[in-house]
Amino acid sequence: MNYYVTDNTAASVRLGDIPETSYAEFYADIAAKLADARYHIAHYFALPAEDRLRFFCLLLDDATGQVLIASFAMEYYDEGELPSLTARHPQVHPFERDITERYGVRFDGMPWPKPLRFPFDRFDRRSSIDNYPFYTMEGGSLHEVNVGPIHAGIIEPGAFRFICNGEQVLHLEIALGYQHRGVEHEFAATGNRLRQMCLAEAVAGDSAVAHATAFAEAVEKLAGFSPGLQLRVERAVALELERMAMQIADTGALCMDVGYQLGQVACEALRTMTINTTQAWCGNRFGKGLVRPHGTNHPLTAEKAAAVRGNVAQIARRYDEVRHDIKSSPTLLARFEQCGIVPREEMLRIGGVGQAARASGVARDIRASHPWGAYAGTLRHESIVKRHGDVMARLMVRCREVLQSAGYIERLLADYTPHAAQRPDYTAALAPDSLSFGLVEGWRGETCHVAVTDAGGNIAACRIKEPSLHNWTALALAVRGEGISDFPICNKSFNLSYCGHDL
């Protein structure tokens, strides 16, 4: 099959240059490639084009760093069905569910064509949260436990339905979509580039830098702009600071869930110190306003760079002490080890990404496989991979990544020489009738923004993949066979995004 072959640093591509093929050819080739662990899908979606639907698939080759773009089309009101790829490769499941929900496309043989997000403009308006098709099992010894969708504290809405035999979880189904915000729709509804950047930052508030970077990269490719060394370094530092902050926060949350108060309090203090470092840099603790297309309003001065280096070194030293305490605590080890296991084979099947996948032996990391910016030059990233796939492995990947990120920030800023920074440009002309993507490794994992322009060079569609999209299924797999009382630590060991999924 013909693909448009590119990589994570190349410019945008004209829509007319992306080969169109038949679905039969697309199905056969994608099915064959996904049988090889080196390939996985970054995004797969459909867009209306007059009386047709045109489908786009971004396939990542983790061995060569190539991004393979494929396309096919069908009549918008075609009554036929397309053979489902999900039946052979479960990682396609959320993509086919999304396409069905938006446009009514039916995939023959799809194991479970249930709603994904309940968008306001979905094809079947009869489909609603109230009639969500939860999986059921019958048996005199079985019972159901419902959690949510309203949770205590500030947790966002999501429904968890457990089917249990006594205390043992047989099945967990996770239903989201309670707060669909229409974020993707808003990108096309406004021509204001600054508003679009603010929308990107709001996809998932704890990943504001990752999503802003992904969208900025997509826009810059459409504008034919290549960020200079200083901008590449600053974006990498911001991403690694965000990674440190959130991995430290998750460490503290896991300590809290097993009553290890010392670890919780220490991590809360270190996480605060990390996000306060970001605030001292740009005025916002979560890095909002820091990443902008073509430039920045908050260049990293020599004084700020020195402060970042000093804070990060202190955070890393103190966090390493917490890490050693955790590893030497029999009580914590007893709770975390051999709990919530997701085997490598299952993680590959569902398309898992991020530190959760790396804890199961799946070395997926965009910084290493599809480097961009500073990761394609100054830094050569080596992924941290564990094999056990349990809560402890996911925690240890986090611990190691905090220290690795601190080392990266030191390397990036050790010889940093700031100069006059280029200001953001919100009016740069974008290539018409083109497609571009921003692909970055956020702290949760692979974050993808795809932007498509119309004949006037306006963004006509934006499609976003947050790393939680696949990893919610990993959480459901992790609790099978576990006691229901272990769900909180399994859940915290993934810490997935509700709003990043609901878009």
Side-chain angles (χ1 to χ4, degrees), residues 146-351:
N146 294 304
V147 178
I150 305 304
H151 302 272
I154 60 171
I155 302 174
E156 294 164 329
F160 298 80
R161 182 168 294 186
F162 300 83
I163 299 176
C164 301
N165 183 2
E167 290 292 309
Q168 185 183 46
V169 177
L170 301 182
H171 176 77
L172 164 62
E173 184 163 357
I174 303 167
L176 304 174
Y178 288 85
Q179 59 170 9
H180 194 281
R181 299 163 292 157
V183 173
E184 291 178 332
H185 177 270
E186 289 302 308
F187 277 98
T190 179
N192 186 316
R193 198 77 47 78
L194 176 57
R195 174 171 167 74
Q196 291 169 340
M197 284 301 309
C198 292
L199 284 168
E201 291 174 332
V203 170
D206 57 13
S207 303
V209 175
H211 282 283
T213 302
F215 183 69
E217 292 276 333
V219 166
E220 289 167 351
K221 290 175 182 178
L222 286 166
F225 174 81
S226 180
L229 175 61
Q230 182 169 339
L231 199 56
R232 296 198 302 270
V233 167
E234 289 177 352
R235 288 180 180 177
V237 170
L239 279 167
E240 298 303 329
L241 273 174
E242 183 173 75
R243 193 181 319 279
M244 289 182 65
M246 298 313 303
Q247 308 290 35
I248 291 171
D250 284 352
T251 305
L254 279 165
C255 290
M256 176 183 67
D257 271 8
V258 294
Y260 182 49
Q261 191 173 19
L262 176 61
Q264 173 199 349
V265 172
C267 286
E268 285 178 352
L270 293 174
R271 181 252 190 183
T272 298
M273 187 174 178
T274 309
I275 60 178
N276 283 352
T277 300
T278 301
Q279 183 179 39
W281 177 1
C282 69
N284 184 277
R285 295 195 302 169
F286 295 99
K288 293 185 176 182
L290 182 55
V291 178
R292 290 293 181 260
H294 299 80
T296 180
N297 291 313
H298 303 281
L300 197 56
T301 63
E303 292 76 16
K304 288 182 178 180
V308 170
R309 290 177 66 192
N311 287 355
V312 165
Q314 185 181 165
I315 293 164
R317 177 183 57 78
R318 292 167 59 184
Y319 180 77
D320 199 32
E321 294 174 359
V322 176
R323 181 176 72 94
H324 282 292
D325 288 342
I326 290 173
K327 292 179 67 176
S328 60
S329 169
T331 303
L332 268 67
L333 296 179
R335 289 298 309 277
F336 293 159
E337 289 182 338
Q338 299 298 304
C339 177
I341 296 173
V342 184
R344 181 177 186 274
E345 294 73 19
E346 290 300 312
M347 194 63 81
L348 284 170
R349 278 166 49 81
I350 65 173

Side-chain angles (χ1 to χ4, degrees), residues 254-464:
L254 279 165
C255 290
M256 176 183 67
D257 271 8
V258 294
Y260 182 49
Q261 191 173 19
L262 176 61
Q264 173 199 349
V265 172
C267 286
E268 285 178 352
L270 293 174
R271 181 252 190 183
T272 298
M273 187 174 178
T274 309
I275 60 178
N276 283 352
T277 300
T278 301
Q279 183 179 39
W281 177 1
C282 69
N284 184 277
R285 295 195 302 169
F286 295 99
K288 293 185 176 182
L290 182 55
V291 178
R292 290 293 181 260
H294 299 80
T296 180
N297 291 313
H298 303 281
L300 197 56
T301 63
E303 292 76 16
K304 288 182 178 180
V308 170
R309 290 177 66 192
N311 287 355
V312 165
Q314 185 181 165
I315 293 164
R317 177 183 57 78
R318 292 167 59 184
Y319 180 77
D320 199 32
E321 294 174 359
V322 176
R323 181 176 72 94
H324 282 292
D325 288 342
I326 290 173
K327 292 179 67 176
S328 60
S329 169
T331 303
L332 268 67
L333 296 179
R335 289 298 309 277
F336 293 159
E337 289 182 338
Q338 299 298 304
C339 177
I341 296 173
V342 184
R344 181 177 186 274
E345 294 73 19
E346 290 300 312
M347 194 63 81
L348 284 170
R349 278 166 49 81
I350 65 173
V353 296
Q355 80 272 0
R358 295 191 286 276
S360 293
V362 179
R364 284 189 181 144
D365 192 320
I366 297 301
R367 293 172 293 174
S369 62
H370 297 77
W372 81 100
Y375 303 101
T378 309
L379 297 177
R380 294 297 181 186
H381 175 67
E382 293 186 11
S383 299
I384 293 167
V385 179
K386 299 291 183 181
R387 303 291 177 185
H388 294 91
D390 57 6
V391 171
M392 189 64 183
R394 290 187 283 275
L395 175 57
M396 287 297 100
V397 169
R398 282 182 163 87
C399 290
R400 292 278 305 281
E401 288 195 350
V402 169
L403 302 178
Q404 184 184 55
S405 293
Y408 283 167
I409 292 171
E410 172 60 27
R411 284 172 55 187
L412 288 165
L413 297 183
D415 300 317
Y416 181 75
T417 305
H419 54 80
Q422 188 169 342
R423 302 285 290 179
D425 185 352
Y426 302 113
T427 61
L430 307 183
D433 290 323
S434 298
L435 178 149
S436 72
F437 59 88
L439 192 61
V440 308
E441 186 71 19
W443 70 269
R444 270 196 188 92
E446 181 180 306
T447 305
C448 181
H449 283 234
V450 182
V452 178
T453 57
D454 59 20
N458 304 302
I459 294 178
C462 184
R463 291 290 182 265
I464 300 166

Side-chain angles (χ1 to χ4, degrees), residues 117-163:
R117 296 189 175 106
F118 298 98
F120 69 94
D121 56 351
R122 58 190 178 275
F123 181 82
D124 183 1
R125 301 300 176 87
R126 297 169 300 176
S127 172
S128 72
I129 290 287
D130 295 331
N131 57 30
Y132 181 87
F134 279 102
Y135 184 74
T136 60
M137 297 172 65
E138 295 182 357
S141 64
L142 304 183
H143 66 280
E144 291 185 350
V145 178
N146 294 304
V147 178
I150 305 304
H151 302 272
I154 60 171
I155 302 174
E156 294 164 329
F160 298 80
R161 182 168 294 186
F162 300 83
I163 299 176

